[in-house]
Amino acid sequence: MSISVQTLVKRFGAQTVVHGISFEVARGEFVSLLGPSGCGKTTTLRCIAGLEDADAGVISIDDTVVSAPGQNVLVPVHERQIGMVFQSYAIWPHMTVAENVGFPLSVRKLSTVELTRQVEDALAIVGLSALKDRHPSQLSGGQQQRVALARAIVGRPKVLLFDEPLSNLDAKLREGTRTEIRRLQRELGVAAVYVTHDQEEALSMSDRVIVMDKGRIEQVGTPKELYRSPVNHFVADFVGRASFIDVIKGDGASGWRTPDGTVLDADEARANGQGTYQAMLRPEDVEIVDGEAAGVDRGRSLSGRISESHYLGAYTEYVIDTAGAKVKVHSRRDFDVGAPVILRIRPETCRLVARPANAEL
């Protein structure tokens, strides 16, 4: 494994912010740490980089232990052979593009010829060779980000680490830079750990995603696994958009009953027969039809009324009051706020998740 994190613990004073988490990243694999602010993802990344000292656990890079407090092992940042891209870019304004990219190599005491060669290689990979003599003030935001990328890959590091590198870019530029980062990582064939709170970034870029909350790992899986089969309410709600309806098991084989008595057929893969559950619905999986149309089949469907409508171009997002909940639905059809509607749900897209203990009754 290129990166191995075993039972990592990090404290700040009396507060534990990372609670004994473990994961591995294979060579050539792109893994995202996804979660809300304060979940411990950036602290985990900084411990891998050596910018924070772990309080317990073992971190290895390319099978070399770089952090093991219990064994009194702590390898300095510059000896870990990592490349890192920060949220703020961290580009020196008084240095040229070439000087910024070559800065990490200066501590390695390379010859001028070798340093120049590696800098030129890195600039060529990110397409900035023609701008090597410019200063950061003469560059756009996207060009500055590419300088940071070139600096991260110069010298061909063993792993790449990204700390929310796209948060300062506009939406259009973020989309293009996502593609660039993934292309670079694949071309170099190195392991990458990418920290973000943006689920779209994580889903579109990653081989696997690690969802974190309150310093713990909630679920690890491919983007499709997390989106289609979340293990709990938190993951379902954080990864993509979802609506939740409280349900209880019906009598015999009669499905799951909502608070208003409607019976739903659901994917029961996550139900073990204990505790209480919610039906999790993705907005694109729910079909909405006119509730007053003649001949509408109402069997095992939800009846409701549209309370909100938001036109988003490719579709309209409707919020429907139904079964004691608010259900979001994406549709290209036009409905008026206040209109009665029927929601049709296929059993395989109606997934059960455990009802969180702090949910309102």
Side-chain angles (χ1 to χ4, degrees):
M1 287 292 167
S2 280
I3 302 172
S4 175
V5 176
Q6 300 298 324
T7 59
L8 173 66
V9 175
K10 176 60 185 175
R11 305 183 187 92
F12 291 109
Q15 182 181 11
T16 301
V17 295
V18 179
H19 298 265
I21 68 172
S22 300
F23 63 90
E24 294 182 333
V25 184
R27 186 171 290 103
E29 188 179 24
F30 195 108
V31 172
S32 289
L33 301 181
L34 175 67
S37 298
C39 72
K41 58 188 185 296
T42 293
T43 299
T44 298
L45 190 80
R46 290 175 64 85
C47 287
I48 295 172
L51 299 173
E52 298 286 355
D53 294 345
D55 291 290
V58 178
I59 300 173
S60 300
I61 295 178
D62 205 21
D63 298 325
T64 298
V65 176
V66 296
S67 174
Q71 304 170 34
N72 202 29
V73 175
L74 184 61
V75 175
V77 178
H78 65 275
E79 295 181 10
R80 297 194 181 194
Q81 299 187 54
I82 63 168
M84 187 162 183
V85 181
F86 297 90
Q87 180 178 348
S88 62
Y89 311 155
I91 298 173
W92 298 101
H94 63 285
M95 292 183 179
T96 66
V97 167
E99 289 169 341
N100 266 287
V101 173
F103 184 76
L105 300 178
S106 62
V107 298
R108 302 185 190 178
K109 299 180 180 179
L110 297 179
S111 68
T112 302
V113 173
E114 181 61 18
L115 188 148
T116 301
R117 184 190 67 79
Q118 293 194 28
V119 168
E120 289 178 348
D121 286 348
L123 289 174
I125 290 173
V126 300
L128 288 179
S129 297
L131 306 181
K132 65 179 182 179
D133 295 322
R134 291 192 184 182
H135 285 80
S137 61
Q138 298 172 293
L139 304 176
S140 67
Q143 289 169 334
Q144 290 183 40
Q145 182 60 277
R146 284 156 68 192
V147 172
L149 285 171
R151 185 179 56 195
I153 66 176
V154 74
R156 300 288 175 135
K158 292 182 177 179
V159 300
L160 288 173
L161 307 177
F162 299 89
D163 185 10
E164 303 203 49
L166 307 184
S167 59
N168 292 330
L169 302 180
D170 61 50
K172 191 72 173 180
L173 198 51
R174 279 202 305 270
E175 184 176 343
T177 308
R178 284 204 305 261
T179 302
E180 183 74 3
I181 288 174
R182 197 65 170 103
R183 180 189 68 80
L184 285 173
Q185 185 265 340
R186 286 188 177 126
E187 184 175 319
L188 296 172
V190 297
V193 178
Y194 188 99
V195 162
T196 182
H197 64 273
D198 186 322
Q199 54 91 12
E200 184 176 304
E201 283 184 15
L203 294 180
S204 65
M205 298 175 71
S206 309
D207 296 310
R208 287 187 300 136
V209 179
I210 299 172
V211 182
M212 296 182 63
D213 186 38
K214 299 177 182 176
R216 294 179 171 85
I217 292 176
E218 294 288 333
Q219 187 174 356
V220 181
T222 66
K224 287 182 179 179
E225 287 170 347
L226 295 179
Y227 191 81
R228 295 176 179 176
S229 301
V231 298
N232 56 32
H233 181 107
F234 175 83
V235 176
D237 195 35
F238 197 84
V239 179
R241 311 195 73 177
S243 302
F244 301 90
I245 301 175
D246 289 340
V247 292
I248 59 174
K249 185 64 176 174
D251 297 332
S254 61
W256 294 79
R257 195 172 298 278
T258 68
D260 68 353
T262 301
V263 176
L264 296 176
D265 292 317
D267 179 352
E268 302 183 355
R270 296 290 178 187
N272 59 14
Q274 299 177 351
T276 56
Y277 292 90
Q278 294 178 316
M280 187 274 289
L281 306 173
R282 297 293 187 191
E284 68 276 11
D285 289 334
V286 181
E287 181 186 3
I288 180 173
V289 298
D290 185 350
E292 295 182 333
V296 173
D297 180 9
R298 298 172 182 270
R300 300 219 169 184
S301 299
L302 295 172
S303 298
R305 194 172 294 273
I306 296 175
S307 62
E308 297 177 40
S309 173
H310 308 284
Y311 180 70
L312 299 175
Y315 56 82
T316 299
E317 180 176 89
Y318 296 103
V319 179
I320 293 90
D321 291 331
T322 181
K326 291 186 178 294
V327 175
K328 297 182 179 68
V329 178
H330 292 170
S331 176
R332 293 185 178 183
R333 300 182 63 186
D334 293 329
F335 296 92
D336 295 327
V337 172
V341 292
I342 300 296
L343 303 184
R344 293 173 174 164
I345 304 161
R346 299 191 310 275
E348 66 271 20
T349 64
C350 182
R351 301 175 180 90
L352 297 181
V353 295
R355 191 174 185 275
N358 60 352
E360 293 183 6
L361 295 173

